[in-house]
Amino acid sequence: MSQDVAIRMTGVTKTFGTVIANDGVDLDIRKGEVLSLLGENGSGKTSLMNMLSGIYYPDSGHIYVGGNEVSIKSPKDAYELGIGMIHQHFKLVDIFTAAENIMLGLEENGRPGSKSVTAKIKEICDNYGFEIDPNKKIYDMSVSEKQTLEIVKVLYRGADILILDEPTAVLTPQETEKLFKVIGNMKAAGKSVVIITHKLHEVLRISDRVAILRKGRYIGTVDTKDVNEQILTEMMVGAKVSLNIERDEPVNTVKRISVKNISCNDREGLPVLKDVSFDVYAGEILGIAGISGCGQKELLESIAGLQEVSEGGHIIFSDPKTGNDEELVGKSPRAIKELGVSLSFVPEDRLGMGLVASMDMTANMMLKDYNESSGIFVDKKKPEKLAKKIKKELGVVTPGITTPVGKLSGGNVQKVLVGREIASSPTVLMTAYAVRGLDINTSLHIYKLLNEQKKNGVAVIYVGEDLDVLLELCDKILVLCGGQVNGYLDARTTTKEEVGMKMMYLSNHGGK
């Protein structure tokens, strides 16, 4: 075993029922490198790393750390070998402070608030460029701060090999830049960093090598300097894939929703939207851009009837069937639906808000229309047919449609949710982070489905994190900054730089 190899996996296999997650995988992780692990949803990336971090145990194969074969049966075993994993869904206790979360489960001396613990946390932050307040409560932290804490927690436990699962999925471009700088500092200090991601431009920028998995099998590892997005995509999917997003010119556009002067507060009573006004047209895709927490979520929830709007605000829906204008503010989601307004909403929290983890695909399809059933028995034929269609068309990797969705990978959960919402034949389709955690092939298919909805006369609202996608997919872009409209731009003529600046700095005359 070469001296520069930190970890070697040979012939590693893991199955879940009839699904083979990993099939005889061989993988080397070198000391002091950034290795990107790439593959389509369900290709076995997270499962493979879960075996390194002690979450799963391999059915067969061998794992070597520092040249010695090891058996990793728990996260505690992994930490003792210097391996730590930062998961997509953070493992933090909301009511505890940062220091309390770092110390959780450790048997060493020292209270979370003691000078020795604080000094060690400060030393880690100074060494790698982190910014963290040891006394801050988790419920007061941003997503970026929580992720930073998870990394510090792993380093505090002495990890030399860090695994980051989709680390930039919920970060703004500015937060991503800070993370990349920290990763560079960890690499310079001799740490090995494995990044599981779908963002090809980030792979090319941050990693030294890229390892590709396809349908649970190891395809190969390449030096990042020798490849481009097209090559990596073809290795992932095993075929040529066009990376272009199709965008047709809008035809027969009609105003479908008029948002006028809406404001709303968060649960603490603080304003998150301030005097927001804009129009949404049938036959167009309206993109909404803004850094995390600028009101995108609350804006969509206001239209869907899930968020209370302050007095004086109006959301007017123009009914295509009757030609009448209907006020949506003050109505419940069900009342809105009974008016004939079909709002399809893909929320940020797909399992917490969009789907029920313990239910299977068919049952989750039924959630949309269960109240329309007559009699005491629910007809399962229609939702079962839809579940099979979504599984086939979006390539949901699952043992079957009767498997609880909570047991699927994050990307496959997203496919189930997006497929259900689009299949409901909406009048207005609102999507929040519809392709978060999805591979490039599935993302392109989702973009195609959104464009089909647009051509069918649906008014589409798309909240996304990738500015390149917003510019290529959307017809217009609404920019939010600090909960206010700071731009209403033509996506065909604006630039990434203009959108980014409007996301960061509030102008004196934002809006249309």
Side-chain angles (χ1 to χ4, degrees):
M1 187 170 175
S2 173
Q3 288 186 345
D4 71 340
V5 174
I7 293 178
R8 173 161 290 166
M9 307 177 80
T10 61
V12 172
T13 297
K14 182 66 182 176
T15 60
F16 298 95
T18 59
V19 174
I20 302 175
N22 298 111
D23 188 0
V25 173
D26 299 328
L27 182 70
D28 285 353
I29 302 171
R30 296 174 182 170
K31 296 176 182 177
E33 78 163 347
V34 178
L35 175 70
S36 289
L37 193 56
L38 202 59
E40 292 187 279
N41 298 117
S43 61
K45 307 180 297 298
T46 301
S47 297
L48 187 67
M49 291 299 102
N50 276 339
M51 284 184 274
L52 273 188
S53 62
I55 304 296
Y56 299 150
Y57 192 77
D59 299 333
S60 60
H62 306 275
I63 299 175
Y64 301 88
V65 177
N68 301 312
E69 186 168 4
V70 298
S71 177
I72 306 174
K73 296 182 178 179
S74 69
K76 185 174 183 291
D77 290 344
Y79 279 127
E80 289 175 354
L81 293 165
I83 303 168
M85 185 167 177
I86 294 87
H87 299 269
Q88 276 183 272
H89 303 290
F90 305 137
K91 315 293 183 183
L92 300 170
V93 180
D94 272 3
I95 61 171
F96 285 5
T97 65
E100 288 169 338
N101 272 277
I102 289 170
M103 296 295 292
L104 202 60
L106 294 180
E107 297 175 358
E108 65 183 64
N109 294 326
R111 301 187 313 278
S114 67
K115 290 183 179 179
S116 61
V117 171
T118 302
K120 188 173 178 180
I121 293 172
K122 185 178 185 304
E123 181 185 0
I124 291 171
C125 292
D126 291 344
N127 285 343
Y128 300 107
F130 293 111
E131 295 177 10
I132 194 168
D133 178 359
N135 299 313
K136 193 171 186 178
K137 297 280 190 180
I138 304 306
Y139 57 69
D140 286 329
M141 289 185 176
S142 68
V143 171
S144 177
E145 288 175 310
K146 291 177 183 177
Q147 184 182 72
T148 297
L149 175 58
E150 287 281 23
I151 298 173
V152 172
K153 188 170 73 173
V154 167
L155 291 171
Y156 192 97
R157 285 161 169 74
D160 291 313
I161 298 104
L162 291 90
I163 304 163
L164 281 67
D165 192 358
E166 298 285 355
T168 65
V170 292
L171 301 185
T172 67
Q174 293 75 24
E175 290 168 341
T176 298
E177 285 297 322
K178 289 174 65 176
L179 176 64
F180 283 176
K181 185 176 180 180
V182 167
I183 290 174
N185 292 339
M186 290 193 292
K187 172 187 169 182
K191 306 287 185 184
S192 302
V193 182
V194 181
I195 298 177
I196 303 172
T197 183
H198 294 104
K199 298 182 179 181
L200 296 180
H201 63 284
E202 293 182 356
V203 168
L204 294 171
R205 181 176 167 197
I206 193 67
S207 62
D208 300 296
R209 296 189 304 145
V210 187
I212 293 98
L213 297 181
R214 188 194 310 150
K215 296 181 179 178
R217 294 183 177 180
Y218 173 70
I219 301 302
T221 302
V222 294
D223 290 335
T224 308
K225 62 182 175 59
D226 297 330
V227 295
N228 55 33
E229 288 192 17
Q230 191 70 50
I231 292 171
L232 291 176
T233 302
E234 290 174 13
M235 291 182 72
M236 282 170 56
V237 303
K240 285 187 177 294
V241 175
S242 171
L243 298 178
N244 295 324
I245 300 175
E246 295 181 7
R247 175 172 55 189
D248 296 310
E249 289 291 333
V251 178
N252 299 325
T253 58
V254 178
K255 187 186 293 185
R256 185 63 64 227
I257 286 181
S258 184
V259 175
K260 298 179 180 179
N261 310 113
I262 68 166
S263 301
C264 62
N265 301 326
D266 63 14
R267 61 184 179 183
E268 306 297 329
L270 300 174
V272 285
L273 288 178
K274 306 169 190 174
D275 200 28
V276 170
S277 299
F278 63 96
D279 296 325
V280 184
Y281 289 83
E284 283 188 351
I285 299 179
L286 173 66
I288 298 181
I291 63 174
S292 180
C294 270
Q296 304 96 312
K297 175 174 175 286
E298 289 80 8
L299 179 57
L300 297 196
E301 289 180 350
S302 296
I303 299 173
L306 301 169
Q307 173 77 42
E308 185 177 351
V309 174
S310 301
E311 188 176 349
H314 300 277
I315 302 173
I316 309 299
F317 172 76
S318 298
D319 193 329
K321 296 178 182 177
T322 65
N324 297 330
D325 289 343
E326 298 286 352
E327 173 66 72
L328 302 187
V329 171
K331 292 183 171 61
S332 68
R334 177 170 290 190
I336 291 173
K337 186 176 180 181
E338 288 172 352
L339 279 173
V341 181
S342 180
L343 297 175
S344 295
F345 185 39
V346 181
E348 292 177 89
D349 183 5
R350 52 199 175 200
L351 273 181
M353 186 176 174
L355 300 170
V356 178
S358 60
M359 293 167 58
D360 63 21
M361 282 184 66
T362 299
N364 272 288
M365 296 303 114
M366 292 169 62
L367 287 178
K368 194 77 177 173
D369 301 307
Y370 75 94
N371 59 313
E372 295 180 1
S373 301
S374 57
I376 61 172
F377 298 106
V378 178
D379 182 11
K380 293 182 64 176
K381 290 182 181 179
K382 184 179 176 182
E384 189 175 277
K385 183 179 179 181
L386 177 57
K388 290 178 179 177
K389 180 182 178 183
I390 291 171
K391 179 179 181 295
K392 180 181 179 181
E393 290 188 359
L394 294 184
V396 179
V397 179
T398 174
I401 61 172
T402 57
T403 300
V405 297
K407 292 187 176 181
L408 307 184
S409 70
N412 283 296
V413 170
Q414 187 76 338
K415 291 178 185 180
V416 173
L417 179 56
V418 174
R420 183 191 71 185
E421 298 303 307
I422 291 176
S424 66
S425 300
T427 300
V428 176
L429 173 63
M430 300 193 295
T431 67
Y433 312 108
V435 298
R436 177 180 285 172
L438 298 184
D439 57 70
I440 184 65
N441 215 21
T442 307
S443 296
L444 288 169
H445 189 71
I446 296 298
Y447 302 146
K448 181 182 178 183
L449 291 176
L450 294 178
N451 265 308
E452 287 176 358
Q453 294 295 307
K454 165 186 163 180
K455 285 191 282 188
N456 290 336
V458 174
V460 180
I461 302 176
Y462 177 87
V463 176
E465 301 153 315
D466 192 324
L467 294 186
D468 291 312
V469 171
L470 283 168
L471 291 174
E472 290 185 41
L473 174 68
C474 303
D475 300 295
K476 295 172 184 171
I477 298 176
L478 181 81
V479 185
L480 292 178
C481 180
Q484 300 180 56
V485 175
N486 201 36
Y488 191 77
L489 309 171
D490 185 332
R492 289 171 174 78
T493 58
T494 190
T495 64
K496 187 176 178 179
E497 290 72 24
E498 182 181 14
V499 176
M501 286 293 288
K502 286 186 175 292
M503 287 168 59
M504 294 294 295
Y505 303 105
L506 189 64
S507 63
N508 292 326
H509 52 280
K512 291 193 254 188

